[in-house]
Amino acid sequence: MHSKVVIIGSGPAAHTAAVYLARAELKPVLYEGFLANGIAAGGQLTTTTDVENYPGFPDGIGGSELMDAMRKQSERFGTQIITETIAKVDLSKRPFKYWAEYEEDKEPHTADAIIIATGASARRLGLQGEEKYWQNGISACAVCDGAVPIFRNKPLVVIGGGDSAAEEAMFLTKYGSHVIVLVRRDVLRASKTMAKRLLANKKVTVMFNTVGHEVKGDDKGLMSHMVVKDVKTGKLETLEANGLFYAVGHDPATALVKGQIDTDEEGYIVTKPGTSYTNIEGVFAAGDVQDKRYRQAITSAGSGCIAALEAEKFIAEQDAEVENNLEQEKNAEKGNNVVVPEYRSNPLL
């Protein structure tokens, strides 16, 4: 199967790109994956209960509900959605080749342009009680979930020692009664300025040489306590905490294009600033797979729009170039009075 443009991904970036490309009548094909990277189609939002900061939903909306709506909108305009995971791509020349999972030994599908919107996943720590209280007290995004009622005026915990952890902890002081930051080492990895601000905040307590050990909850199924461990003495301590926020990094889903597309030291796809352009002409990147700073549904959707508009422009330019070359060939034949060989006009061939 050949397509003008293929989208790999299933989150806000992928579906926004699909809507724009479908309305431009480019008949996009979107591969949403089957539990790609261990996450259901729809991406990280499917692991979120209430989304309160996406425009247009004054009462909030469930993460899965929001992604279902985006998927329906993509289909409404004619996007072909395939629930298969892309296992391999060849971006060495156009048309680009790609293979679905379990079909690597078959003939490849091809595309004139590809949008990579495979996202990123928050690193988890595998603490006792993590699975039970995920999204019932445990989150990997303070900006996304910090204002949720279960965290307001409650003691909260942040795990991490870098700039992101410091930023999230200070953000959470707007909502929580107090924020405890657990740092494995005896020093913060955050920049001096950020570390100074964090340590000076009266609503923050930093516990050095300390890691998370277990998450406990109440009879309502919500997190209520956090057991922490001193890495030097091995001593366990139980803290009252109604929220736990991981700030230990994300893993971009770039294994598919590793070695073909330029990535930074953390594995994120490198794009030309302000665009979705990668180092390969005709390949575009959108969403969290190329954004390690904001990582919001709305910014992902915006970058999906950018990728679609740039892919549309690229395809239009390629089509115009082909038409121009054909026109030049026709004019050259006419100018040279070329006699068309009989086999070229034979209806039997």
Side-chain angles (χ1 to χ4, degrees):
M1 178 178 72
H2 178 78
S3 308
K4 280 191 173 295
V5 58
V6 163
I7 303 163
I8 304 175
S10 62
H15 282 296
T16 301
V19 168
Y20 273 78
L21 290 167
R23 293 185 75 247
E25 299 186 353
L26 288 175
K27 299 178 180 178
V29 176
L30 184 151
Y31 284 86
E32 64 180 0
F34 181 74
L35 289 177
N37 304 307
I39 299 176
Q44 289 189 85
L45 277 181
T46 61
T47 68
T48 302
T49 49
D50 295 319
V51 179
E52 297 186 322
N53 57 1
Y54 199 88
F57 301 94
D59 299 320
I61 184 172
S64 293
E65 185 183 355
L66 177 60
M67 291 318 305
D68 286 344
M70 289 190 187
R71 191 180 192 277
K72 289 177 183 177
Q73 190 172 4
S74 295
E75 288 186 309
R76 176 194 166 199
F77 290 110
T79 300
Q80 181 182 356
I81 299 177
I82 300 176
T83 308
E84 292 181 6
T85 301
I86 299 303
K88 187 172 89 172
V89 295
D90 180 357
L91 307 177
S92 59
K93 62 180 180 180
R94 293 193 303 272
F96 303 117
K97 300 176 183 177
Y98 64 94
W99 293 260
E101 200 169 34
Y102 309 119
E103 295 182 359
E104 294 92 329
D105 57 345
K106 297 182 180 180
E107 282 295 307
H109 299 297
T110 56
D112 295 326
I114 292 180
I115 294 177
I116 308 294
T118 45
S121 55
R123 292 175 191 155
R124 297 195 184 188
L125 298 175
L127 303 180
Q128 295 180 50
E130 181 181 277
E131 287 298 324
K132 183 176 182 179
Y133 297 107
W134 189 262
Q135 291 304 321
N136 286 305
I138 305 178
S139 169
C141 181
V143 175
C144 310
D145 302 326
V148 173
I150 62 172
F151 300 132
R152 287 183 179 271
N153 301 312
K154 301 291 177 61
L156 308 174
V157 174
V158 173
I159 297 181
D163 281 344
S164 293
E167 287 177 3
E168 297 213 350
M170 287 187 286
F171 175 81
L172 289 169
T173 59
K174 299 177 182 178
Y175 308 105
S177 59
H178 196 79
V179 179
I180 294 175
V181 181
L182 305 183
V183 182
R184 174 183 290 273
R185 298 161 55 186
D186 58 1
V187 66
L188 289 164
R189 289 184 295 105
S191 63
K192 288 184 178 180
T193 301
M194 191 65 71
K196 186 176 180 180
R197 287 177 58 195
L198 182 69
L199 294 170
N201 195 308
K202 294 180 180 179
K203 290 187 71 175
V204 174
T205 297
V206 179
M207 296 180 68
F208 293 103
N209 301 309
T210 306
V211 296
H213 179 73
E214 183 181 0
V215 179
K216 296 182 177 182
D218 57 24
D219 53 7
K220 297 179 181 178
L222 298 175
M223 176 182 172
S224 61
H225 292 83
M226 175 88 186
V227 180
V228 300
K229 179 180 179 180
D230 186 307
V231 297
K232 288 190 173 182
T233 65
K235 180 183 177 182
L236 298 178
E237 181 182 354
T238 300
L239 307 174
E240 185 179 348
N242 295 91
L244 170 61
F245 294 83
Y246 288 166
V248 291
H250 288 68
D251 294 314
T254 50
L256 179 67
V257 296
K258 190 175 182 180
Q260 299 188 71
I261 293 181
D262 288 346
T263 57
D264 65 13
E265 65 281 358
E266 296 177 62
Y268 289 86
I269 293 177
V270 176
T271 54
K272 181 180 178 182
T275 77
S276 64
Y277 296 124
T278 68
N279 61 302
I280 298 179
E281 190 177 26
V283 179
F284 308 86
D288 288 6
V289 76
Q290 53 84 54
D291 173 22
K292 60 184 177 183
R293 182 174 183 181
Y294 299 107
R295 296 192 297 265
Q296 300 297 302
I298 191 67
T299 53
S300 289
S303 68
C305 169
I306 291 171
L309 295 175
E310 290 174 342
E312 180 185 358
K313 180 175 180 289
F314 169 77
I315 292 169
E317 290 173 348
Q318 295 300 306
D319 288 347
E321 185 177 335
V322 170
E323 290 180 8
N324 186 50
N325 289 338
L326 289 173
E327 189 66 29
Q328 288 180 351
E329 287 180 9
K330 288 180 181 178
N331 291 336
E333 287 186 354
K334 289 179 181 179
N336 295 326
N337 295 316
V338 175
V339 177
V340 179
E342 182 181 353
Y343 71 84
R344 287 184 62 183
S345 57
N346 190 332
L348 298 177
L349 298 178

